[in-house]
Amino acid sequence: MLAGIWHNLVDYLLPPVCGSCGEAVQGNQGVCADCWGQLTFLGDPCCQCCGYPFELSPGKDALCGDCQGRPKAFDCCRAALSYDAYSKDMIIGYKHADRTHLTAVFAQWMSGAGRELWSSVDVLVPVPLHPRRLLARRYNQSALLAKALARQHGKAFAPDLLLRRKNTVSQGQLSSNGRWRNVAGAFDANPARKVGLEGQNILLIDDVYTTGATLDACSKVLRKAGAGSVRALVLARVLREG
């Protein structure tokens, strides 16, 4: 009862606002009705590997052109949203502007997007930040999402299973090929946490999928360390034109 009173008082003094436009919203809705209508949620049919959406279903095991040309080290990836003009500011604000109150609603969306994955997951692992970047930002948005999803589905959460050894430049500044070169060798498995990893089914959690380079680099490290399978779940993904 006291917790309920406290939350009501906080909502009265600091009303929750839409993560996109800043208008007041009810409870933990995250976005207002107008902004909700502008978001593009993703689902089937899609590439069996990376989850890129297809307009028409080409078959159950179909792969997109990118996955055919550059096979990925992860088994599959699914995304909740399209990363576009309507979701971009909301996600950037979550990453860089302390809008961590959006964790609950983002995790809810991701949970639905990954509904086919939960039965075969043992442990959730967030894509790590380099310690310098973590110190500057104060939190890892991927870890917040992974923790919320692990609690929601009763799964193990391993925030330090992966380490980021290289303080790479931001992927947003780079070309597609540059992104792959940038993260090559950037990650390593934590020696203190590798015991018990053998045969485990890992679900990698990240915020945005652009080329798949980061998830691929993390997956290679996890497979080398003995993971049984590596799947991925992201909040949003960039959709190519054409």
Side-chain angles (χ1 to χ4, degrees):
M1 183 179 68
L2 291 176
I5 294 173
W6 170 251
H7 285 301
N8 289 334
L9 178 61
V10 170
D11 284 347
Y12 176 77
L13 296 175
L14 299 170
V17 297
C18 173
S20 182
C21 69
E23 292 294 321
V25 296
Q26 293 293 323
N28 292 321
Q29 292 177 336
V31 294
C32 66
D34 289 340
C35 291
W36 169 272
Q38 295 175 328
L39 296 174
T40 300
F41 289 87
L42 303 179
D44 292 329
C46 64
C47 171
Q48 183 65 23
C49 179
C50 76
Y52 188 86
F54 297 137
E55 290 191 13
L56 298 174
S57 178
K60 181 179 178 181
D61 298 322
L63 299 177
C64 68
D66 182 63
C67 287
Q68 292 180 45
R70 194 197 293 263
K72 307 300 188 293
F74 48 83
D75 296 288
C76 69
C77 178
R78 295 295 179 265
L81 295 171
S82 167
Y83 187 75
D84 54 26
Y86 301 109
S87 64
K88 181 178 180 181
D89 288 345
M90 179 172 61
I91 295 172
I92 290 177
Y94 180 63
K95 291 176 65 171
H96 301 291
D98 295 330
R99 297 179 186 172
T100 55
H101 65 283
L102 293 171
T103 299
V105 69
F106 285 169
Q108 180 181 345
W109 296 346
M110 292 172 70
S111 177
R115 55 189 173 275
E116 66 191 80
L117 308 176
W118 297 114
S119 63
S120 57
V121 169
D122 294 318
V123 57
L124 277 72
V125 177
V127 171
L129 293 176
H130 188 273
R132 291 181 184 175
R133 189 166 296 180
L134 181 59
L135 182 63
R137 193 179 295 177
R138 302 187 307 282
Y139 63 92
N140 177 359
Q141 71 282 353
S142 298
L144 294 180
L145 293 169
K147 184 177 182 180
L149 287 163
R151 183 185 298 117
Q152 182 177 345
H153 291 275
K155 304 293 183 179
F157 169 55
D160 58 348
L161 183 56
L162 280 175
L163 303 176
R164 196 165 195 141
R165 298 296 192 186
K166 290 169 56 178
N167 191 16
T168 55
V169 299
S170 173
Q171 292 281 79
Q173 307 172 23
L174 304 172
S175 66
S176 177
N177 289 332
R179 289 170 181 264
W180 288 83
R181 291 192 297 269
N182 188 45
V183 294
F187 302 97
D188 198 4
N190 187 342
R193 297 299 303 274
K194 288 171 67 173
V195 176
L197 178 59
E198 188 74 30
Q200 292 289 292
N201 298 309
I202 305 297
L203 184 62
L204 270 172
I205 303 296
D206 204 4
D207 54 352
V208 179
Y209 181 118
T210 303
T211 64
T214 298
L215 293 176
D216 187 83
C218 290
S219 299
K220 287 177 179 176
V221 169
L222 291 168
R223 288 192 178 280
K224 186 177 180 180
S229 67
V230 183
R231 297 173 177 84
L233 181 62
V234 298
L235 173 60
R237 65 160 300 148
V238 174
L239 301 183
R240 303 180 301 278
E241 293 293 332

